Structures are given as C-alpha cells and as structure tokens.
Amino acid sequence: MRHTLSVCAAALALLGSPASAVSDGTLVPLDPEAHAAYRAARDAALTPVSSATLSTRDAGASSSLLLPFYEIDRRQQFASTTLFGLRNPRNTASAVGIDYYDRMGHRLRSDNYTLPAAASLTFNLRDNPALTAEGDGFARGYVVVTTDGQLTGEGFQVDPSQDHATGERLLDLSGDPLCSLWESRYMVGGTFSGGTRLTLLVGDPRQPGGKEDEHGAVFELFDEAGRSYGSVALLTNLVVNRIDLADVRAQLPGAPELGVVEIYFNGTGGLAMVDYSAEGRYSVGMAAACLAPMQ
C-alpha cells in the first residue's frame, strides 16, 4: 500500500491540482522515481496464478452479472446505444433485480422482474428514461444484475451510423472478479485504425455510492521483445472509465503501435476489458488477463 500511495502522490504533484477536481480522468506520465515506486508495487502484487483465474468471463450460469459499460447517444434517436439480454436456464422461475448506475457509481434506477423457466429478456437502454445524458449528450454507466436463481447474459454496443458493433458475455460477479494487475495486447494504427479501447472499473461495482476521492490505475507499455516504454497514471473519481490506448501511447515517446499494456489498480483492485476496432467498423471485445487476483 505504501508504494501505491507514493505513485498517486507523485502523479498528483505532477498534475498540480487537487484530487477532488478530477472528473473524466487525467493521464499523467510518471517520472523515474514514481515509475520505480509503481514497479515495486506491481512486482509485490504479481503472484503465480492458475490458468483458471486468467479471465473473469464465464459462459455458464451465474447469480450475479455485470454489464461493465453502457453508452447512449441522447442527441438523436437512431444513434449509438447499448443492448443487453438475460436468460433463465433453469426449469423454474427466477426473480431478477437490475440496478442501473451512472459512471460515479450513483444508482439511477432499480427494476424487478420474474423470469419464467427458459425465458429471456432483452433491453435497449435507449428506452430507459432514468439514464440521463451528461453534458455532451451521452448517457454512460454500468448495470448490475442479481437473481435468486441463475442467469446467463450478453451485452452489445451498437452504432448504426458507423456500421459498428461489439459485444461480449456479461461479467460473472458471483465470485471475486477483482484483480490488482491485468495485461492485454493493444493495437493502434495500421489495419486497426479504430485503435484499442479499455473499459476499466475501479474498485468493486457491487459497492457503489460515488467515488469522491482520487483513485485510478497505472498503465505500462511494452513492445513484443519485453522492453518497457514507461508508465502513465490515470487519475479519476469515476467507477467506470473508457480509455483510448492512443492517448496513453501519446504520453510515452517511442512506444510501438503493437504491443502489450499492463494495467495496475492503485490498491482498490478493479476490472479491465478491451475492444479492438479495425478500420473503424469491425470490432472485437474481450477480457484482459488477470495476473494478480486481489488477496
């Protein structure tokens, strides 16, 4: 913990502003001293894990699921939106609760359903009036689903105007999906002109209520030979964050277009997902790999 606090303090000193002023997130490159403190904290957190812990995705049924991010363009009717679906695979009815949150972790709405045996539900979040837009016209946040039975689910981000869509299974929250250290490939440029985007949940989404204090993550970029190009701190008071790897790479001169990113959460643990966009139209979504589960 001492190491993670020193990383945050160093990044805030570079930023030159109080933590309470951070809103949408600020990327701050770490100087050599802060980078060394981050590496010490990262190495202390890194422990061998079995292959069973390398992904928080679960294609089986769960009693608690997470849609890690939604985004709805409220400026026009047929713009980008988020859809998700649920199914009850049991042979008896299940009670289902759905809680909708904004990016700060404030609950906006709770709905309850009875889902019959083998039945499914599909939601277009554009139809939910409680999900109000931020200043730029977009509604953003995350969704937690619970049940007294079992559920399967998947989510989709769709933008008809760009012929663009990406989707994946909902996260299984039944166990402990949080990790302090994640890794993922990244691709920025070339065929992947749409780049790589990370979805990060800082802390535990099952314990919401707003994050008024500074917290965040540290990104370190590597080439395929294992050379590090330095690290960048993300300072944010949001539970859910969307980060373009191009913005991280821009803070680290010489970092390659194709490489590996490590994501280290400052003491709180978190979740990391990634999606790749090729030529701005074709996309793939997946989980990052968990290298260091929370102890």
Side-chain angles (χ1 to χ4, degrees):
M1 180 62 74
R2 289 192 301 270
H3 288 307
T4 57
L5 289 174
S6 65
V7 170
C8 288
L12 283 170
L14 287 170
L15 183 62
S17 63
S20 59
V22 179
S23 55
D24 288 332
T26 302
L27 293 171
V28 182
L30 298 184
D31 63 20
E33 181 179 355
H35 177 71
Y38 149 70
R39 290 292 302 182
R42 178 260 188 204
D43 292 343
L46 184 61
T47 55
V49 296
S50 69
S51 59
T53 66
L54 292 181
S55 175
T56 58
R57 290 296 185 276
D58 184 356
S62 171
S63 61
S64 183
L65 295 171
L66 172 73
L67 175 69
F69 181 75
Y70 65 78
E71 184 173 74
I72 309 156
D73 186 349
R74 293 291 193 189
R75 299 171 301 176
Q76 48 187 318
Q77 182 63 30
F78 300 104
S80 62
T81 186
T82 302
L83 298 89
F84 76 97
L86 302 170
R87 181 175 184 268
N88 173 18
R90 303 178 71 186
N91 58 8
T92 58
S94 293
V96 177
I98 304 177
D99 293 319
Y100 300 89
Y101 298 90
D102 63 15
R103 290 197 293 165
M104 285 287 295
H106 300 128
R107 186 163 53 194
L108 302 176
R109 174 170 167 164
S110 297
D111 292 328
N112 295 288
Y113 302 88
T114 297
L115 195 54
S120 59
L121 286 171
T122 302
F123 303 87
N124 183 341
L125 294 191
R126 176 176 296 283
D127 300 330
N128 190 329
L131 309 184
T132 55
E134 301 174 10
D136 62 356
F138 287 83
R140 302 181 180 92
Y142 61 97
V143 180
V144 177
V145 182
T146 56
T147 180
D148 62 355
Q150 291 179 307
L151 294 173
T152 60
E154 58 284 319
F156 304 93
Q157 188 70 35
V158 180
D159 187 349
S161 68
Q162 299 295 319
D163 296 331
H164 180 92
T166 186
E168 52 190 330
R169 304 294 299 189
L170 300 188
L171 277 165
D172 180 4
L173 292 177
S174 298
D176 187 359
L178 301 183
C179 284
S180 58
L181 183 66
W182 299 79
E183 73 164 14
S184 175
R185 293 270 185 163
Y186 74 84
M187 291 164 276
V188 179
T191 301
F192 289 90
S193 57
T196 299
R197 186 164 54 179
L198 295 173
T199 302
L200 307 178
L201 278 87
V202 183
D204 192 336
R206 295 164 296 187
Q207 299 176 358
K211 304 293 185 184
E212 306 301 337
D213 57 339
E214 174 271 331
H215 55 281
V218 177
F219 307 99
E220 184 172 10
L221 300 189
F222 299 84
D223 62 19
E224 292 190 343
R227 176 185 174 188
S228 171
Y229 287 82
S231 54
V232 176
L234 167 69
L235 304 179
T236 179
N237 54 17
L238 301 175
V239 175
V240 62
N241 299 265
R242 295 277 268 180
I243 304 297
D244 285 323
L245 254 295
D247 294 334
V248 177
R249 180 173 172 263
Q251 302 286 333
L252 301 174
E257 290 187 341
L258 307 178
V260 172
V261 56
E262 287 189 353
I263 307 117
Y264 177 74
F265 289 98
N266 291 333
T268 62
L271 299 167
M273 287 67 69
V274 60
D275 59 86
Y276 307 97
S277 177
E279 298 178 350
R281 299 180 64 185
Y282 311 104
S283 56
V284 176
M286 64 182 65
C290 172
L291 299 181
M294 296 295 290
Q295 300 299 319

